[in-house]
Amino acid sequence: MPQPTLDFWFEFASTYSYPAAMRIGDEARLRGMSVRWRPFLLSPVFKANGWSTSPFNIYPAKGRYMRRDLQRVCGALDLPFAEPPGFPQNTLLPARVALVALAQGWGEDFCRAVYRAEFGDGRDIGERDTIADVLRTLGRDTEAVLTLAQSDDNKARLRAQTEEATALGIFGAPSFVTPSGELFWGNDRLEAALDWAKR
Amino acid sequence: MPQPTLDFWFEFASTYSYPAAMRIGDEARLRGMSVRWRPFLLSPVFKANGWSTSPFNIYPAKGRYMRRDLQRVCGALDLPFAEPPGFPQNTLLPARVALVALAQGWGEDFCRAVYRAEFGDGRDIGERDTIADVLRTLGRDTEAVLTLAQSDDNKARLRAQTEEATALGIFGAPSFVTPSGELFWGNDRLEAALDWAKR
C-alpha cells in the first residue's frame, strides 16, 4: 500500500517555513507518511493581494511580533535563528534550483541547507555565491545545476507551480495540502495536516 | 504565594477568540494559574493598519481558509460553530457589558455566553435584544447592567483598554500577555503563553 502523502508548499523567504522544513521529515516518518516538497514564490500572491512587500514589513507590529515568536519557536526546537540581510530575501534563484534538486532526488537536503544558510547563519540567499556554496557543500556540480535551474523550461515550471499554489487557495507559507485538497496554513498546523492526510 | 496570571486579550467579533475563550479556563486551572480577561475592540487597531474591515473580508482567500480552519478547530474541541449574520459583528455593546460584568465578578460566564450565542447559535450580538437575553439567562438585572455599560465612565474604560492593547503591541485577537510583557497571538499559542507565564 502506498504511503499517505502530504504536499508541503514553502517559500524560502518565509520565516515560519524554516522550522516547518526542519521538522516535517521527522514528523512524517513518525506517522509512516511521505512528503512532497513544493517550492513556490509568495511575491505574486502578495501582489494579487495588493501588497508590494511582505505583510510583516507593511504592518510593523506584526513584523516585531513575528521576530520574537520565531525566536521562541526556534528556541523550543533548538534551531538557531539569525536574520539574513534584508527581508524578505530574493528567492528566485534558490526556488529554481530547488525544483531541479527535487527532480533529481537531492532536493530535501538542498532545501534544508538553504534554510540553514539563511535563518541559521543569516546569509543572503539571493546571492548566487551563497547558493553555489550550498551546492558545493552538497557535492554538486554547481555550474551544471545553475544552468539547468536558469533554463526556460525550469523557469516556466516555477511559474506554473506558483500558479497552482494560488489555484489551491494558498495565500501564505508554509501551507500543507492533503490528497483530498484540505488546506492547512502555518508551521503550527503541520501535525494537524499530517494527521488529516493519514486518516 | 499568588497564582501566576496571564492576561487574555479578546474581541467578541474575533472567530479564533471563541475557542480560546472556551478553553482558557480549563487550561489555566490545569496549570494552577489565573487569567485576567481583557476585552478590547479590534476596529481601531484595524483602522491604524489602514483596514476598513477585517482582513478576512479584505483578503477572500484568507477568509475562506479561516472559516474552514475554524470548523476543524471547533470540531476537534466538540464546540458548535455557526456564523452570525454579518462579519465582523458590531461588538461595542457586548464589550462594554463585559467590562461591567468582569468588574462585578460574573464576567467570564458572560463572555462565554456571548461567544456561545454568536458562534455556537449564530445570533447577532450587535443587537441589544441578544445581549439582554444573555443577561436574563445569567439572572442579571438587564436594565441596570445596560445602563452601567453605557455610562460615560464605562465607555471611557473600554477606550482606555483598547489603547492599552495597542500600546502592548497587540494587532489581533486572541492575544495573551505574560506579567513580563511577553506577547503571544492566536488560539494556537494559548498553551505556550500559559507555560511562559508560569516559568
Side-chain angles (χ1 to χ4, degrees):
Chain A
M1 219 177 88
Q3 286 189 319
T5 297
L6 186 69
D7 274 12
F8 169 37
W9 290 88
F10 61 98
E11 146 71 86
F12 283 116
S14 151
T15 46
Y16 286 104
S17 293
Y18 164 51
M22 296 317 206
R23 295 182 331 108
I24 196 167
D26 288 343
E27 291 294 338
R29 258 188 304 278
L30 267 175
R31 293 166 176 80
M33 296 178 60
S34 61
V35 174
R36 195 158 54 137
W37 291 55
R38 314 287 310 266
F40 75 111
L41 297 179
L42 266 178
S43 58
V45 180
F46 287 169
K47 280 200 189 94
N49 279 324
W51 299 321
S52 56
T53 178
S54 162
F56 291 131
N57 287 341
I58 300 174
Y59 310 112
K62 273 193 120 150
R64 274 191 300 274
Y65 173 77
M66 175 275 285
R67 287 174 171 86
R68 179 62 184 147
D69 193 48
L70 244 292
Q71 287 176 345
R72 293 187 306 234
V73 167
C74 291
L77 296 168
D78 268 328
L79 280 178
F81 177 58
E83 281 206 60
F87 176 82
Q89 293 268 289
N90 181 342
T91 56
L92 193 57
L93 183 62
R96 285 173 178 167
V97 173
L99 282 184
V100 171
L102 288 160
Q104 294 184 353
W106 49 279
E108 300 183 21
D109 285 341
F110 172 77
C111 293
R112 280 186 292 259
V114 169
Y115 277 119
R116 201 171 300 118
E118 182 185 23
F119 293 120
D121 303 331
R123 297 186 63 188
D124 189 338
I125 61 163
E127 293 286 338
R128 193 183 182 282
D129 285 354
T130 308
I131 302 306
D133 273 358
V134 168
L135 290 170
R136 269 190 295 272
T137 308
L138 296 171
R140 295 290 149 185
D141 180 338
T142 301
E143 286 312 312
V145 171
L146 290 175
T147 301
L148 266 178
Q150 302 284 38
S151 69
D152 287 345
D153 269 10
N154 195 58
K155 290 176 180 177
R157 278 169 61 211
L158 182 58
R159 275 196 300 275
Q161 185 135 303
T162 297
E163 281 160 20
E164 188 184 341
T166 309
L168 287 166
I170 288 173
F171 54 86
S175 287
F176 312 98
V177 181
T178 71
S180 66
E182 196 76 20
L183 170 65
F184 293 82
W185 172 51
N187 172 56
D188 39 33
R189 289 293 188 281
L190 170 57
E191 288 83 351
L194 285 165
D195 292 341
W196 193 284
K198 200 182 173 178
R199 72 187 203 168
Chain B
M1 219 178 87
Q3 285 190 320
T5 297
L6 187 69
D7 273 13
F8 169 38
W9 291 88
F10 61 97
E11 146 73 85
F12 284 116
S14 151
T15 46
Y16 286 104
S17 293
Y18 165 50
M22 296 316 204
R23 294 182 330 110
I24 195 167
D26 288 342
E27 292 292 338
R29 257 188 304 279
L30 266 176
R31 292 165 176 81
M33 295 179 62
S34 62
V35 173
R36 195 158 55 138
W37 291 54
R38 314 287 311 266
F40 74 112
L41 298 179
L42 266 177
S43 57
V45 180
F46 287 168
K47 279 199 190 97
N49 280 324
W51 298 322
S52 57
T53 178
S54 163
F56 291 131
N57 287 341
I58 299 174
Y59 310 112
K62 274 193 119 150
R64 274 191 299 273
Y65 174 77
M66 174 276 285
R67 287 176 170 85
R68 179 62 183 147
D69 192 50
L70 243 292
Q71 287 175 344
R72 293 187 305 234
V73 167
C74 292
L77 296 168
D78 269 327
L79 280 178
F81 177 58
E83 281 207 60
F87 176 83
Q89 292 269 288
N90 181 343
T91 56
L92 194 57
L93 183 62
R96 286 173 177 166
V97 173
L99 281 185
V100 170
L102 287 161
Q104 294 184 352
W106 49 279
E108 300 183 21
D109 285 342
F110 173 76
C111 293
R112 281 186 291 260
V114 170
Y115 277 118
R116 200 171 301 118
E118 182 185 23
F119 293 119
D121 303 331
R123 296 186 64 188
D124 189 338
I125 60 163
E127 293 285 338
R128 193 181 181 288
D129 285 355
T130 308
I131 302 305
D133 272 358
V134 168
L135 290 171
R136 269 189 296 273
T137 309
L138 297 171
R140 296 289 147 185
D141 179 337
T142 301
E143 286 312 312
V145 170
L146 289 175
T147 301
L148 266 179
Q150 301 285 37
S151 70
D152 287 345
D153 269 10
N154 195 58
K155 290 177 181 177
R157 278 170 61 211
L158 182 59
R159 275 195 301 275
Q161 185 136 303
T162 297
E163 281 160 20
E164 188 184 341
T166 309
L168 287 166
I170 289 173
F171 54 87
S175 288
F176 312 98
V177 181
T178 72
S180 66
E182 196 75 20
L183 171 65
F184 292 82
W185 172 51
N187 172 56
D188 39 35
R189 288 293 188 282
L190 170 58
E191 287 83 352
L194 286 164
D195 292 341
W196 192 284
K198 200 182 173 180
R199 73 185 203 169

